[in-house]
Amino acid sequence: IFEQELGALGESCDSLFVSIDLDVFPAALAPGVSAPGIEGPTAEEGRAMAFAAGANSSVRLFELMELNPIFDIDQRTARLAVALLTAFLAGLATRGENV
């Protein structure tokens, strides 16, 4: 669904800014945030969103927000952030354009 919505927005805009707030993920995946929750997307869903953002040529800015290493447990949040960034970069590599 995210990929479809992103594509529709990209058709009506020249530039998009995608921000993924790590607070959206369940505390089991992202304990190192200011407001850990009990529900949210899976890591796989998060990677799919990040990949879609990278692959969309209208996306000009991408950020990951709310990582606090002081509250992180076993670097779970940091590892999730790295997985999301890697997925974004993999999507970016599929664009086939000079970015």
Side-chain angles (χ1 to χ4, degrees):
I1 293 174
F2 178 79
E3 186 176 359
Q4 294 168 350
E5 293 295 325
L6 193 61
L9 281 171
E11 290 177 10
S12 63
C13 304
D14 290 337
S15 299
L16 296 173
F17 173 29
V18 175
S19 177
I20 298 178
D21 190 329
L22 297 171
D23 281 353
V24 74
F25 293 94
L29 293 175
V33 296
S34 62
I38 58 168
E39 295 181 346
T42 65
E44 183 178 334
E45 291 167 333
R47 287 192 309 269
M49 288 187 281
F51 183 89
N56 188 304
S57 61
S58 295
V59 174
R60 302 283 187 245
L61 294 169
F62 177 79
E63 73 174 350
L64 298 171
M65 300 292 296
E66 291 290 331
L67 171 58
N68 186 339
I70 294 171
F71 298 123
D72 208 0
I73 300 169
D74 297 328
Q75 300 177 337
R76 285 186 225 159
T77 314
R79 291 172 194 265
L80 175 62
V82 169
L84 297 174
L85 180 58
T86 302
F88 174 79
L89 293 174
L92 191 66
T94 67
R95 288 190 191 183
E97 58 187 49
N98 293 330
V99 284

